[in-house]
PDB file of all heavy atoms in Angstrom:
ATOM      1  N   VAL W 757     -34.678 -37.562 -14.458  1.00 44.00           N
ATOM      2  CA  VAL W 757     -35.614 -38.617 -13.817  1.00 44.00           C
ATOM      3  C   VAL W 757     -36.742 -38.944 -14.954  1.00 44.00           C
ATOM      4  O   VAL W 757     -37.155 -40.067 -15.193  1.00 44.00           O
ATOM      5  CB  VAL W 757     -36.313 -38.042 -12.630  1.00 44.00           C
ATOM      6  CG1 VAL W 757     -37.444 -38.929 -12.130  1.00 44.00           C
ATOM      7  CG2 VAL W 757     -35.225 -38.118 -11.511  1.00 44.00           C
ATOM      8  N   ALA W 758     -37.315 -37.745 -15.520  1.00 43.00           N
ATOM      9  CA  ALA W 758     -38.326 -38.036 -16.545  1.00 43.00           C
ATOM     10  C   ALA W 758     -37.726 -38.693 -17.875  1.00 43.00           C
ATOM     11  O   ALA W 758     -38.498 -39.081 -18.682  1.00 43.00           O
ATOM     12  CB  ALA W 758     -38.963 -36.627 -16.893  1.00 43.00           C
ATOM     13  N   GLY W 759     -36.417 -38.678 -17.864  1.00 42.00           N
ATOM     14  CA  GLY W 759     -35.857 -39.402 -18.983  1.00 42.00           C
ATOM     15  C   GLY W 759     -36.048 -38.579 -20.293  1.00 42.00           C
ATOM     16  O   GLY W 759     -35.909 -38.989 -21.371  1.00 42.00           O
ATOM     17  N   LEU W 760     -36.061 -37.144 -20.036  1.00 41.00           N
ATOM     18  CA  LEU W 760     -36.075 -36.358 -21.239  1.00 41.00           C
ATOM     19  C   LEU W 760     -34.805 -35.562 -21.478  1.00 41.00           C
ATOM     20  O   LEU W 760     -33.931 -35.576 -20.541  1.00 41.00           O
ATOM     21  CB  LEU W 760     -37.071 -35.260 -20.875  1.00 41.00           C
ATOM     22  CG  LEU W 760     -38.604 -35.687 -20.767  1.00 41.00           C
ATOM     23  CD1 LEU W 760     -39.379 -34.564 -20.134  1.00 41.00           C
ATOM     24  CD2 LEU W 760     -39.139 -36.125 -22.054  1.00 41.00           C
ATOM     25  N   SER W 761     -34.490 -35.244 -22.737  1.00 42.00           N
ATOM     26  CA  SER W 761     -33.353 -34.512 -22.928  1.00 42.00           C
ATOM     27  C   SER W 761     -33.655 -32.988 -22.790  1.00 42.00           C
ATOM     28  O   SER W 761     -33.879 -32.386 -23.790  1.00 42.00           O
ATOM     29  CB  SER W 761     -32.746 -34.872 -24.248  1.00 42.00           C
ATOM     30  OG  SER W 761     -33.658 -34.587 -25.264  1.00 42.00           O
ATOM     31  N   ALA W 762     -33.554 -32.515 -21.640  1.00 43.00           N
ATOM     32  CA  ALA W 762     -34.045 -31.127 -21.446  1.00 43.00           C
ATOM     33  C   ALA W 762     -32.925 -30.177 -22.056  1.00 43.00           C
ATOM     34  O   ALA W 762     -31.713 -30.481 -21.904  1.00 43.00           O
ATOM     35  CB  ALA W 762     -34.136 -30.800 -19.975  1.00 43.00           C
ATOM     36  N   PRO W 763     -33.353 -29.069 -22.656  1.00 47.00           N
ATOM     37  CA  PRO W 763     -32.286 -28.228 -23.192  1.00 47.00           C
ATOM     38  C   PRO W 763     -31.725 -27.464 -21.915  1.00 47.00           C
ATOM     39  O   PRO W 763     -32.369 -26.840 -21.193  1.00 47.00           O
ATOM     40  CB  PRO W 763     -33.230 -27.294 -23.937  1.00 47.00           C
ATOM     41  CG  PRO W 763     -34.577 -27.275 -23.503  1.00 47.00           C
ATOM     42  CD  PRO W 763     -34.639 -28.617 -22.913  1.00 47.00           C
ATOM     43  N   VAL W 764     -30.313 -27.508 -21.848  1.00 53.00           N
ATOM     44  CA  VAL W 764     -29.564 -26.965 -20.897  1.00 53.00           C
ATOM     45  C   VAL W 764     -29.104 -25.676 -21.285  1.00 53.00           C
ATOM     46  O   VAL W 764     -28.628 -25.571 -22.343  1.00 53.00           O
ATOM     47  CB  VAL W 764     -28.465 -27.774 -20.253  1.00 53.00           C
ATOM     48  CG1 VAL W 764     -27.743 -27.251 -19.200  1.00 53.00           C
ATOM     49  CG2 VAL W 764     -28.986 -29.223 -19.992  1.00 53.00           C
TER      50      VAL W 764
END
Side-chain angles (χ1 to χ4, degrees):
Chain W
V757 167
L760 298 166
S761 58
V764 183

